Amino acid sequence: MGKTSDLTAVQKTIIDTLHKEGKTQKVIAKEAGCSQSSVSKHINRQAKGRKKCGRKKCTSSRDNRTLQRIVTTNPFKNVGEIHKEWTAAGVSASRTTTRRLMKDMGFRCRIPCVKPLLNMKQCKKRLAWAKDKKDWTDAEWSKVMFSDESKFCISFGNQGPRVWRKSGEAQNPRCMRSSVKFPPSVMVWGAMSSAGVGPLCFLRSRVNAAVYQEVLEHFMLPAADQLYGDADFTFQQDLAPAHSAKTTSTWLKDHGIPVLDWPANSPDLNPIENLWGIVKRRMQYARPNNAEELKTTIRATWALITPEQCHRLIESMPRRITAVIEAKGAPTKY
């Protein structure tokens, strides 16, 4: 026989119906298939109008509204800071209660999304660009080769991996991890289309116009041959200084490569940004010890990207454009 809380909805209905008919608890228990004590507790609970028993809540609805206002106003504060501000308002509650109520309210601790800061002029240009491209088909977007640079760091996040240790082993070298002020990193250039990804280029120095043109010569052109063969394509790049330099524009024109007009500060419109995110998520458990090992890991992870993944990202372009139009040029979730 189960507890009162284990009663099914059918059993509760049977108990309520037979109780209204004046049946004894013994008969009701036999019909419902539960213990007589469970029948008694259910009837008493219904009579008292209580849904459940337990400790009385230590906070009022007003206190809960105060907590919700604090969290909404200061969403980047940690639980300790929120709890301190809440108790300073006259609420008597533990830190555990604060965390539990925040969870009950639907708040979750997450890594914030990063979106570019756009001014009104840039929003208007993004909106105009989106309206101009809103009727493009998947076939037209498949002719675009998207490109971008991304930075990869040897880093384990803010807290790093946890360690199992005993009391007094905090300074044991076995239980410690190395830390550097400026972790080694590499800058990578890559390109993609609906047909897949091109070769990666690891940039050794600051990217100026001359360096970028070498990247175009030795990596963009081979990527175009690999992804398009002899077919026509349009090259996409953002408005970084090296990309928009006059000498770069001349280089592209001399090589007969059409360039897609692109709004400033619009990584949410570029599907390769999502591809970089996929690569970094797959690498989150990798533990390279130096820049060369990091490069090897990046190459191996990049090689696992399938044409199907790229095709799905290219197919998202109409949705991205619709989102920009609906947001009136403001940054979107992509």
Side-chain angles (χ1 to χ4, degrees):
M1 300 294 179
K3 298 179 180 179
T4 309
S5 58
D6 295 332
L7 292 175
T8 65
V10 176
Q11 288 176 317
K12 292 178 181 179
T13 303
I14 293 173
I15 293 172
D16 293 337
T17 302
L18 296 180
H19 179 63
K20 291 179 181 179
E21 295 177 358
K23 303 293 184 180
T24 64
Q25 293 184 4
K26 185 176 181 180
V27 174
I28 295 175
K30 185 177 180 180
E31 292 291 332
C34 61
S35 66
Q36 189 172 335
S37 62
S38 295
V39 174
S40 176
K41 289 178 181 179
H42 177 74
I43 292 174
N44 291 335
R45 178 170 294 170
Q46 293 295 101
K48 293 179 180 178
R50 292 191 302 143
K51 295 295 182 182
K52 61 180 179 180
C53 57
R55 183 179 176 182
K56 184 179 179 181
K57 292 184 178 179
C58 64
T59 59
S60 63
S61 298
R62 183 177 181 179
D63 295 334
N64 295 346
R65 289 195 298 272
T66 301
L67 175 61
Q68 185 164 4
R69 183 171 62 252
I70 292 172
V71 179
T72 304
T73 305
N74 307 286
F76 287 93
K77 286 190 173 182
N78 58 41
V79 176
E81 293 171 331
I82 292 172
H83 172 70
K84 185 177 181 179
E85 184 174 347
W86 194 34
T87 53
V91 179
S92 178
S94 67
R95 179 169 172 162
T96 303
T97 298
T98 304
R99 183 187 295 273
R100 177 177 53 78
L101 286 175
M102 289 168 61
K103 186 176 180 180
D104 292 342
M105 291 175 184
F107 292 106
R108 299 292 185 271
C109 187
R110 297 287 187 267
I111 298 174
C113 297
V114 180
K115 292 186 178 181
L117 182 63
L118 299 173
N119 56 40
M120 187 60 68
K121 184 178 180 180
Q122 290 171 333
C123 288
K124 289 182 178 179
K125 287 186 176 181
R126 279 165 52 90
L127 180 59
W129 183 91
K131 289 181 177 179
D132 182 59
K133 301 293 189 296
K134 68 178 181 179
D135 295 326
W136 275 35
T137 63
D138 290 343
E140 288 176 294
W141 285 116
S142 67
K143 295 179 181 179
V144 178
M145 184 169 70
F146 293 88
S147 69
D148 192 27
E149 296 89 7
S150 185
K151 186 177 182 180
F152 289 76
C153 297
I154 298 179
S155 176
F156 302 144
N158 294 330
Q159 294 181 336
R162 294 179 178 269
V163 62
W164 290 98
R165 72 187 186 199
K166 297 180 180 179
S167 178
E169 291 186 338
Q171 299 302 317
N172 188 323
R174 180 179 63 82
C175 300
M176 300 175 68
R177 67 181 179 89
S178 300
S179 175
V180 290
K181 188 173 183 181
F182 301 104
S185 63
V186 294
M187 184 66 75
V188 187
W189 178 93
M192 65 164 288
S193 74
S194 62
V197 297
L200 291 176
C201 174
F202 292 93
L203 305 169
R204 298 181 179 180
S205 61
R206 185 176 178 179
V207 181
N208 54 28
V211 172
Y212 184 62
Q213 289 162 33
E214 290 184 7
V215 173
L216 297 178
E217 178 75 35
H218 300 292
F219 292 91
M220 188 274 288
L221 293 180
D225 291 337
Q226 175 185 329
L227 299 174
Y228 292 98
D230 296 330
D232 294 333
F233 75 96
T234 301
F235 182 58
Q236 180 278 334
Q237 60 181 1
D238 60 27
L239 300 184
H243 302 178
S244 56
K246 289 184 179 180
T247 55
T248 301
S249 299
T250 301
W251 188 97
L252 291 166
K253 185 177 181 180
D254 291 344
H255 286 75
I257 299 173
V259 179
L260 179 69
D261 60 302
W262 195 255
N265 289 346
S266 299
D268 53 332
L269 286 170
N270 195 342
I272 199 172
E273 294 288 350
N274 301 84
L275 208 58
W276 293 130
I278 292 172
V279 173
K280 290 177 180 179
R281 283 194 297 274
R282 288 181 176 178
M283 290 176 55
Q284 62 181 331
Y285 298 113
R287 293 293 180 264
N289 296 312
N290 51 55
E292 289 304 316
E293 289 186 9
L294 178 59
K295 290 180 182 180
T296 301
T297 305
I298 296 171
R299 287 192 188 96
T301 309
W302 183 256
L304 296 176
I305 299 297
T306 64
E308 289 75 20
Q309 287 176 299
C310 296
H311 185 69
R312 285 195 296 269
L313 288 174
I314 298 299
E315 284 184 329
S316 70
M317 286 304 298
R319 297 194 298 273
R320 295 170 191 262
I321 290 173
T322 300
V324 170
I325 295 175
E326 292 177 350
K328 297 181 180 179
T332 63
K333 67 178 181 178
Y334 291 97

mmCIF file with all atom_site columns, all heavy atoms in Angstrom, residues 211-231:
data_model
loop_
_atom_site.group_PDB
_atom_site.id
_atom_site.type_symbol
_atom_site.label_atom_id
_atom_site.label_alt_id
_atom_site.label_comp_id
_atom_site.label_asym_id
_atom_site.label_entity_id
_atom_site.label_seq_id
_atom_site.pdbx_PDB_ins_code
_atom_site.Cartn_x
_atom_site.Cartn_y
_atom_site.Cartn_z
_atom_site.occupancy
_atom_site.B_iso_or_equiv
_atom_site.pdbx_formal_charge
_atom_site.auth_seq_id
_atom_site.auth_comp_id
_atom_site.auth_asym_id
_atom_site.auth_atom_id
_atom_site.pdbx_PDB_model_num
ATOM 1   N N   . VAL A 1 211 ? 48.929 41.201 -45.258 1.00 0.00 ? 211 VAL A N   1
ATOM 2   C CA  . VAL A 1 211 ? 48.793 39.837 -44.736 1.00 0.00 ? 211 VAL A CA  1
ATOM 3   C C   . VAL A 1 211 ? 47.488 39.217 -45.216 1.00 0.00 ? 211 VAL A C   1
ATOM 4   O O   . VAL A 1 211 ? 47.447 38.042 -45.611 1.00 0.00 ? 211 VAL A O   1
ATOM 5   C CB  . VAL A 1 211 ? 48.849 39.846 -43.194 1.00 0.00 ? 211 VAL A CB  1
ATOM 6   C CG1 . VAL A 1 211 ? 48.521 38.464 -42.624 1.00 0.00 ? 211 VAL A CG1 1
ATOM 7   C CG2 . VAL A 1 211 ? 50.214 40.300 -42.704 1.00 0.00 ? 211 VAL A CG2 1
ATOM 8   N N   . TYR A 1 212 ? 46.421 40.006 -45.198 1.00 0.00 ? 212 TYR A N   1
ATOM 9   C CA  . TYR A 1 212 ? 45.117 39.480 -45.604 1.00 0.00 ? 212 TYR A CA  1
ATOM 10  C C   . TYR A 1 212 ? 45.113 39.090 -47.085 1.00 0.00 ? 212 TYR A C   1
ATOM 11  O O   . TYR A 1 212 ? 44.515 38.079 -47.466 1.00 0.00 ? 212 TYR A O   1
ATOM 12  C CB  . TYR A 1 212 ? 44.033 40.509 -45.326 1.00 0.00 ? 212 TYR A CB  1
ATOM 13  C CG  . TYR A 1 212 ? 42.638 40.022 -45.621 1.00 0.00 ? 212 TYR A CG  1
ATOM 14  C CD1 . TYR A 1 212 ? 42.091 38.938 -44.945 1.00 0.00 ? 212 TYR A CD1 1
ATOM 15  C CD2 . TYR A 1 212 ? 41.857 40.641 -46.596 1.00 0.00 ? 212 TYR A CD2 1
ATOM 16  C CE1 . TYR A 1 212 ? 40.818 38.481 -45.225 1.00 0.00 ? 212 TYR A CE1 1
ATOM 17  C CE2 . TYR A 1 212 ? 40.572 40.202 -46.878 1.00 0.00 ? 212 TYR A CE2 1
ATOM 18  C CZ  . TYR A 1 212 ? 40.058 39.121 -46.184 1.00 0.00 ? 212 TYR A CZ  1
ATOM 19  O OH  . TYR A 1 212 ? 38.792 38.668 -46.460 1.00 0.00 ? 212 TYR A OH  1
ATOM 20  N N   . GLN A 1 213 ? 45.787 39.842 -47.902 1.00 0.00 ? 213 GLN A N   1
ATOM 21  C CA  . GLN A 1 213 ? 45.845 39.504 -49.327 1.00 0.00 ? 213 GLN A CA  1
ATOM 22  C C   . GLN A 1 213 ? 46.622 38.211 -49.562 1.00 0.00 ? 213 GLN A C   1
ATOM 23  O O   . GLN A 1 213 ? 46.318 37.453 -50.492 1.00 0.00 ? 213 GLN A O   1
ATOM 24  C CB  . GLN A 1 213 ? 46.470 40.663 -50.098 1.00 0.00 ? 213 GLN A CB  1
ATOM 25  C CG  . GLN A 1 213 ? 45.551 41.870 -50.187 1.00 0.00 ? 213 GLN A CG  1
ATOM 26  C CD  . GLN A 1 213 ? 46.266 43.153 -50.536 1.00 0.00 ? 213 GLN A CD  1
ATOM 27  O OE1 . GLN A 1 213 ? 47.256 43.143 -51.272 1.00 0.00 ? 213 GLN A OE1 1
ATOM 28  N NE2 . GLN A 1 213 ? 45.785 44.277 -50.016 1.00 0.00 ? 213 GLN A NE2 1
ATOM 29  N N   . GLU A 1 214 ? 47.618 37.941 -48.713 1.00 0.00 ? 214 GLU A N   1
ATOM 30  C CA  . GLU A 1 214 ? 48.316 36.654 -48.796 1.00 0.00 ? 214 GLU A CA  1
ATOM 31  C C   . GLU A 1 214 ? 47.383 35.511 -48.417 1.00 0.00 ? 214 GLU A C   1
ATOM 32  O O   . GLU A 1 214 ? 47.433 34.425 -49.010 1.00 0.00 ? 214 GLU A O   1
ATOM 33  C CB  . GLU A 1 214 ? 49.541 36.665 -47.875 1.00 0.00 ? 214 GLU A CB  1
ATOM 34  C CG  . GLU A 1 214 ? 50.656 37.569 -48.354 1.00 0.00 ? 214 GLU A CG  1
ATOM 35  C CD  . GLU A 1 214 ? 51.875 37.468 -47.462 1.00 0.00 ? 214 GLU A CD  1
ATOM 36  O OE1 . GLU A 1 214 ? 51.881 36.603 -46.559 1.00 0.00 ? 214 GLU A OE1 1
ATOM 37  O OE2 . GLU A 1 214 ? 52.827 38.258 -47.663 1.00 0.00 ? 214 GLU A OE2 1
ATOM 38  N N   . VAL A 1 215 ? 46.522 35.756 -47.411 1.00 0.00 ? 215 VAL A N   1
ATOM 39  C CA  . VAL A 1 215 ? 45.532 34.753 -47.025 1.00 0.00 ? 215 VAL A CA  1
ATOM 40  C C   . VAL A 1 215 ? 44.590 34.471 -48.196 1.00 0.00 ? 215 VAL A C   1
ATOM 41  O O   . VAL A 1 215 ? 44.268 33.307 -48.494 1.00 0.00 ? 215 VAL A O   1
ATOM 42  C CB  . VAL A 1 215 ? 44.733 35.218 -45.788 1.00 0.00 ? 215 VAL A CB  1
ATOM 43  C CG1 . VAL A 1 215 ? 43.586 34.246 -45.484 1.00 0.00 ? 215 VAL A CG1 1
ATOM 44  C CG2 . VAL A 1 215 ? 45.642 35.348 -44.582 1.00 0.00 ? 215 VAL A CG2 1
ATOM 45  N N   . LEU A 1 216 ? 44.159 35.530 -48.860 1.00 0.00 ? 216 LEU A N   1
ATOM 46  C CA  . LEU A 1 216 ? 43.271 35.360 -50.008 1.00 0.00 ? 216 LEU A CA  1
ATOM 47  C C   . LEU A 1 216 ? 43.962 34.568 -51.120 1.00 0.00 ? 216 LEU A C   1
ATOM 48  O O   . LEU A 1 216 ? 43.352 33.698 -51.750 1.00 0.00 ? 216 LEU A O   1
ATOM 49  C CB  . LEU A 1 216 ? 42.832 36.731 -50.544 1.00 0.00 ? 216 LEU A CB  1
ATOM 50  C CG  . LEU A 1 216 ? 41.997 37.607 -49.592 1.00 0.00 ? 216 LEU A CG  1
ATOM 51  C CD1 . LEU A 1 216 ? 41.688 38.944 -50.260 1.00 0.00 ? 216 LEU A CD1 1
ATOM 52  C CD2 . LEU A 1 216 ? 40.706 36.909 -49.191 1.00 0.00 ? 216 LEU A CD2 1
ATOM 53  N N   . GLU A 1 217 ? 45.228 34.868 -51.348 1.00 0.00 ? 217 GLU A N   1
ATOM 54  C CA  . GLU A 1 217 ? 45.978 34.220 -52.424 1.00 0.00 ? 217 GLU A CA  1
ATOM 55  C C   . GLU A 1 217 ? 46.191 32.731 -52.163 1.00 0.00 ? 217 GLU A C   1
ATOM 56  O O   . GLU A 1 217 ? 45.984 31.892 -53.046 1.00 0.00 ? 217 GLU A O   1
ATOM 57  C CB  . GLU A 1 217 ? 47.336 34.912 -52.587 1.00 0.00 ? 217 GLU A CB  1
ATOM 58  C CG  . GLU A 1 217 ? 48.229 34.304 -53.649 1.00 0.00 ? 217 GLU A CG  1
ATOM 59  C CD  . GLU A 1 217 ? 47.778 34.669 -55.050 1.00 0.00 ? 217 GLU A CD  1
ATOM 60  O OE1 . GLU A 1 217 ? 47.290 35.812 -55.244 1.00 0.00 ? 217 GLU A OE1 1
ATOM 61  O OE2 . GLU A 1 217 ? 47.908 33.812 -55.942 1.00 0.00 ? 217 GLU A OE2 1
ATOM 62  N N   . HIS A 1 218 ? 46.598 32.401 -50.933 1.00 0.00 ? 218 HIS A N   1
ATOM 63  C CA  . HIS A 1 218 ? 47.025 31.030 -50.643 1.00 0.00 ? 218 HIS A CA  1
ATOM 64  C C   . HIS A 1 218 ? 45.956 30.159 -49.981 1.00 0.00 ? 218 HIS A C   1
ATOM 65  O O   . HIS A 1 218 ? 46.148 28.943 -49.883 1.00 0.00 ? 218 HIS A O   1
ATOM 66  C CB  . HIS A 1 218 ? 48.270 31.068 -49.751 1.00 0.00 ? 218 HIS A CB  1
ATOM 67  C CG  . HIS A 1 218 ? 49.430 31.786 -50.363 1.00 0.00 ? 218 HIS A CG  1
ATOM 68  N ND1 . HIS A 1 218 ? 50.109 31.308 -51.459 1.00 0.00 ? 218 HIS A ND1 1
ATOM 69  C CD2 . HIS A 1 218 ? 50.016 32.988 -50.053 1.00 0.00 ? 218 HIS A CD2 1
ATOM 70  C CE1 . HIS A 1 218 ? 51.085 32.149 -51.792 1.00 0.00 ? 218 HIS A CE1 1
ATOM 71  N NE2 . HIS A 1 218 ? 51.046 33.177 -50.947 1.00 0.00 ? 218 HIS A NE2 1
ATOM 72  N N   . PHE A 1 219 ? 44.846 30.774 -49.532 1.00 0.00 ? 219 PHE A N   1
ATOM 73  C CA  . PHE A 1 219 ? 43.829 29.966 -48.848 1.00 0.00 ? 219 PHE A CA  1
ATOM 74  C C   . PHE A 1 219 ? 42.419 30.191 -49.394 1.00 0.00 ? 219 PHE A C   1
ATOM 75  O O   . PHE A 1 219 ? 41.654 29.245 -49.535 1.00 0.00 ? 219 PHE A O   1
ATOM 76  C CB  . PHE A 1 219 ? 43.848 30.261 -47.341 1.00 0.00 ? 219 PHE A CB  1
ATOM 77  C CG  . PHE A 1 219 ? 45.087 29.773 -46.669 1.00 0.00 ? 219 PHE A CG  1
ATOM 78  C CD1 . PHE A 1 219 ? 46.189 30.596 -46.536 1.00 0.00 ? 219 PHE A CD1 1
ATOM 79  C CD2 . PHE A 1 219 ? 45.164 28.477 -46.170 1.00 0.00 ? 219 PHE A CD2 1
ATOM 80  C CE1 . PHE A 1 219 ? 47.356 30.141 -45.923 1.00 0.00 ? 219 PHE A CE1 1
ATOM 81  C CE2 . PHE A 1 219 ? 46.311 28.006 -45.560 1.00 0.00 ? 219 PHE A CE2 1
ATOM 82  C CZ  . PHE A 1 219 ? 47.414 28.846 -45.432 1.00 0.00 ? 219 PHE A CZ  1
ATOM 83  N N   . MET A 1 220 ? 42.070 31.456 -49.705 1.00 0.00 ? 220 MET A N   1
ATOM 84  C CA  . MET A 1 220 ? 40.726 31.701 -50.219 1.00 0.00 ? 220 MET A CA  1
ATOM 85  C C   . MET A 1 220 ? 40.544 31.133 -51.616 1.00 0.00 ? 220 MET A C   1
ATOM 86  O O   . MET A 1 220 ? 39.538 30.477 -51.916 1.00 0.00 ? 220 MET A O   1
ATOM 87  C CB  . MET A 1 220 ? 40.409 33.195 -50.202 1.00 0.00 ? 220 MET A CB  1
ATOM 88  C CG  . MET A 1 220 ? 38.945 33.509 -50.553 1.00 0.00 ? 220 MET A CG  1
ATOM 89  S SD  . MET A 1 220 ? 38.658 33.657 -52.335 1.00 0.00 ? 220 MET A SD  1
ATOM 90  C CE  . MET A 1 220 ? 39.461 35.221 -52.672 1.00 0.00 ? 220 MET A CE  1
ATOM 91  N N   . LEU A 1 221 ? 41.532 31.351 -52.505 1.00 0.00 ? 221 LEU A N   1
ATOM 92  C CA  . LEU A 1 221 ? 41.432 30.830 -53.864 1.00 0.00 ? 221 LEU A CA  1
ATOM 93  C C   . LEU A 1 221 ? 41.404 29.300 -53.888 1.00 0.00 ? 221 LEU A C   1
ATOM 94  O O   . LEU A 1 221 ? 40.572 28.708 -54.596 1.00 0.00 ? 221 LEU A O   1
ATOM 95  C CB  . LEU A 1 221 ? 42.581 31.368 -54.716 1.00 0.00 ? 221 LEU A CB  1
ATOM 96  C CG  . LEU A 1 221 ? 42.552 32.885 -55.000 1.00 0.00 ? 221 LEU A CG  1
ATOM 97  C CD1 . LEU A 1 221 ? 43.749 33.290 -55.854 1.00 0.00 ? 221 LEU A CD1 1
ATOM 98  C CD2 . LEU A 1 221 ? 41.251 33.282 -55.685 1.00 0.00 ? 221 LEU A CD2 1
ATOM 99  N N   . PRO A 1 222 ? 42.272 28.615 -53.122 1.00 0.00 ? 222 PRO A N   1
ATOM 100 C CA  . PRO A 1 222 ? 42.145 27.154 -53.066 1.00 0.00 ? 222 PRO A CA  1
ATOM 101 C C   . PRO A 1 222 ? 40.815 26.687 -52.497 1.00 0.00 ? 222 PRO A C   1
ATOM 102 O O   . PRO A 1 222 ? 40.264 25.668 -52.940 1.00 0.00 ? 222 PRO A O   1
ATOM 103 C CB  . PRO A 1 222 ? 43.308 26.741 -52.151 1.00 0.00 ? 222 PRO A CB  1
ATOM 104 C CG  . PRO A 1 222 ? 44.314 27.833 -52.322 1.00 0.00 ? 222 PRO A CG  1
ATOM 105 C CD  . PRO A 1 222 ? 43.504 29.085 -52.459 1.00 0.00 ? 222 PRO A CD  1
ATOM 106 N N   . ALA A 1 223 ? 40.275 27.431 -51.512 1.00 0.00 ? 223 ALA A N   1
ATOM 107 C CA  . ALA A 1 223 ? 38.974 27.071 -50.959 1.00 0.00 ? 223 ALA A CA  1
ATOM 108 C C   . ALA A 1 223 ? 37.880 27.199 -52.013 1.00 0.00 ? 223 ALA A C   1
ATOM 109 O O   . ALA A 1 223 ? 36.975 26.357 -52.111 1.00 0.00 ? 223 ALA A O   1
ATOM 110 C CB  . ALA A 1 223 ? 38.653 27.962 -49.754 1.00 0.00 ? 223 ALA A CB  1
ATOM 111 N N   . ALA A 1 224 ? 37.977 28.247 -52.843 1.00 0.00 ? 224 ALA A N   1
ATOM 112 C CA  . ALA A 1 224 ? 36.988 28.436 -53.916 1.00 0.00 ? 224 ALA A CA  1
ATOM 113 C C   . ALA A 1 224 ? 37.065 27.293 -54.929 1.00 0.00 ? 224 ALA A C   1
ATOM 114 O O   . ALA A 1 224 ? 36.039 26.791 -55.392 1.00 0.00 ? 224 ALA A O   1
ATOM 115 C CB  . ALA A 1 224 ? 37.216 29.782 -54.591 1.00 0.00 ? 224 ALA A CB  1
ATOM 116 N N   . ASP A 1 225 ? 38.287 26.878 -55.265 1.00 0.00 ? 225 ASP A N   1
ATOM 117 C CA  . ASP A 1 225 ? 38.440 25.760 -56.198 1.00 0.00 ? 225 ASP A CA  1
ATOM 118 C C   . ASP A 1 225 ? 37.879 24.480 -55.609 1.00 0.00 ? 225 ASP A C   1
ATOM 119 O O   . ASP A 1 225 ? 37.254 23.671 -56.313 1.00 0.00 ? 225 ASP A O   1
ATOM 120 C CB  . ASP A 1 225 ? 39.921 25.567 -56.541 1.00 0.00 ? 225 ASP A CB  1
ATOM 121 C CG  . ASP A 1 225 ? 40.475 26.711 -57.392 1.00 0.00 ? 225 ASP A CG  1
ATOM 122 O OD1 . ASP A 1 225 ? 39.663 27.382 -58.060 1.00 0.00 ? 225 ASP A OD1 1
ATOM 123 O OD2 . ASP A 1 225 ? 41.697 26.931 -57.366 1.00 0.00 ? 225 ASP A OD2 1
ATOM 124 N N   . GLN A 1 226 ? 38.099 24.290 -54.315 1.00 0.00 ? 226 GLN A N   1
ATOM 125 C CA  . GLN A 1 226 ? 37.628 23.080 -53.641 1.00 0.00 ? 226 GLN A CA  1
ATOM 126 C C   . GLN A 1 226 ? 36.112 23.041 -53.529 1.00 0.00 ? 226 GLN A C   1
ATOM 127 O O   . GLN A 1 226 ? 35.487 21.987 -53.726 1.00 0.00 ? 226 GLN A O   1
ATOM 128 C CB  . GLN A 1 226 ? 38.251 23.004 -52.245 1.00 0.00 ? 226 GLN A CB  1
ATOM 129 C CG  . GLN A 1 226 ? 37.732 21.848 -51.386 1.00 0.00 ? 226 GLN A CG  1
ATOM 130 C CD  . GLN A 1 226 ? 38.305 21.913 -49.977 1.00 0.00 ? 226 GLN A CD  1
ATOM 131 O OE1 . GLN A 1 226 ? 39.419 22.371 -49.754 1.00 0.00 ? 226 GLN A OE1 1
ATOM 132 N NE2 . GLN A 1 226 ? 37.524 21.461 -48.999 1.00 0.00 ? 226 GLN A NE2 1
ATOM 133 N N   . LEU A 1 227 ? 35.496 24.182 -53.218 1.00 0.00 ? 227 LEU A N   1
ATOM 134 C CA  . LEU A 1 227 ? 34.062 24.213 -52.943 1.00 0.00 ? 227 LEU A CA  1
ATOM 135 C C   . LEU A 1 227 ? 33.209 24.468 -54.189 1.00 0.00 ? 227 LEU A C   1
ATOM 136 O O   . LEU A 1 227 ? 32.050 24.047 -54.240 1.00 0.00 ? 227 LEU A O   1
ATOM 137 C CB  . LEU A 1 227 ? 33.762 25.288 -51.892 1.00 0.00 ? 227 LEU A CB  1
ATOM 138 C CG  . LEU A 1 227 ? 34.435 25.088 -50.530 1.00 0.00 ? 227 LEU A CG  1
ATOM 139 C CD1 . LEU A 1 227 ? 34.184 26.300 -49.627 1.00 0.00 ? 227 LEU A CD1 1
ATOM 140 C CD2 . LEU A 1 227 ? 33.917 23.832 -49.852 1.00 0.00 ? 227 LEU A CD2 1
ATOM 141 N N   . TYR A 1 228 ? 33.777 25.180 -55.191 1.00 0.00 ? 228 TYR A N   1
ATOM 142 C CA  . TYR A 1 228 ? 32.963 25.559 -56.357 1.00 0.00 ? 228 TYR A CA  1
ATOM 143 C C   . TYR A 1 228 ? 33.515 25.061 -57.683 1.00 0.00 ? 228 TYR A C   1
ATOM 144 O O   . TYR A 1 228 ? 32.782 25.039 -58.684 1.00 0.00 ? 228 TYR A O   1
ATOM 145 C CB  . TYR A 1 228 ? 32.829 27.088 -56.401 1.00 0.00 ? 228 TYR A CB  1
ATOM 146 C CG  . TYR A 1 228 ? 31.993 27.646 -55.269 1.00 0.00 ? 228 TYR A CG  1
ATOM 147 C CD1 . TYR A 1 228 ? 32.613 28.169 -54.135 1.00 0.00 ? 228 TYR A CD1 1
ATOM 148 C CD2 . TYR A 1 228 ? 30.608 27.638 -55.328 1.00 0.00 ? 228 TYR A CD2 1
ATOM 149 C CE1 . TYR A 1 228 ? 31.859 28.676 -53.089 1.00 0.00 ? 228 TYR A CE1 1
ATOM 150 C CE2 . TYR A 1 228 ? 29.843 28.143 -54.287 1.00 0.00 ? 228 TYR A CE2 1
ATOM 151 C CZ  . TYR A 1 228 ? 30.478 28.655 -53.169 1.00 0.00 ? 228 TYR A CZ  1
ATOM 152 O OH  . TYR A 1 228 ? 29.729 29.151 -52.124 1.00 0.00 ? 228 TYR A OH  1
ATOM 153 N N   . GLY A 1 229 ? 34.777 24.688 -57.723 1.00 0.00 ? 229 GLY A N   1
ATOM 154 C CA  . GLY A 1 229 ? 35.349 24.268 -59.004 1.00 0.00 ? 229 GLY A CA  1
ATOM 155 C C   . GLY A 1 229 ? 35.371 25.425 -59.987 1.00 0.00 ? 229 GLY A C   1
ATOM 156 O O   . GLY A 1 229 ? 35.889 26.503 -59.683 1.00 0.00 ? 229 GLY A O   1
ATOM 157 N N   . ASP A 1 230 ? 34.769 25.226 -61.136 1.00 0.00 ? 230 ASP A N   1
ATOM 158 C CA  . ASP A 1 230 ? 34.719 26.283 -62.158 1.00 0.00 ? 230 ASP A CA  1
ATOM 159 C C   . ASP A 1 230 ? 33.441 27.114 -62.081 1.00 0.00 ? 230 ASP A C   1
ATOM 160 O O   . ASP A 1 230 ? 33.245 28.031 -62.892 1.00 0.00 ? 230 ASP A O   1
ATOM 161 C CB  . ASP A 1 230 ? 34.823 25.656 -63.559 1.00 0.00 ? 230 ASP A CB  1
ATOM 162 C CG  . ASP A 1 230 ? 36.165 24.965 -63.785 1.00 0.00 ? 230 ASP A CG  1
ATOM 163 O OD1 . ASP A 1 230 ? 37.157 25.425 -63.183 1.00 0.00 ? 230 ASP A OD1 1
ATOM 164 O OD2 . ASP A 1 230 ? 36.204 23.964 -64.532 1.00 0.00 ? 230 ASP A OD2 1
ATOM 165 N N   . ALA A 1 231 ? 32.568 26.807 -61.119 1.00 0.00 ? 231 ALA A N   1
ATOM 166 C CA  . ALA A 1 231 ? 31.297 27.538 -61.001 1.00 0.00 ? 231 ALA A CA  1
ATOM 167 C C   . ALA A 1 231 ? 31.524 28.925 -60.407 1.00 0.00 ? 231 ALA A C   1
ATOM 168 O O   . ALA A 1 231 ? 32.508 29.178 -59.711 1.00 0.00 ? 231 ALA A O   1
ATOM 169 C CB  . ALA A 1 231 ? 30.333 26.740 -60.132 1.00 0.00 ? 231 ALA A CB  1
#
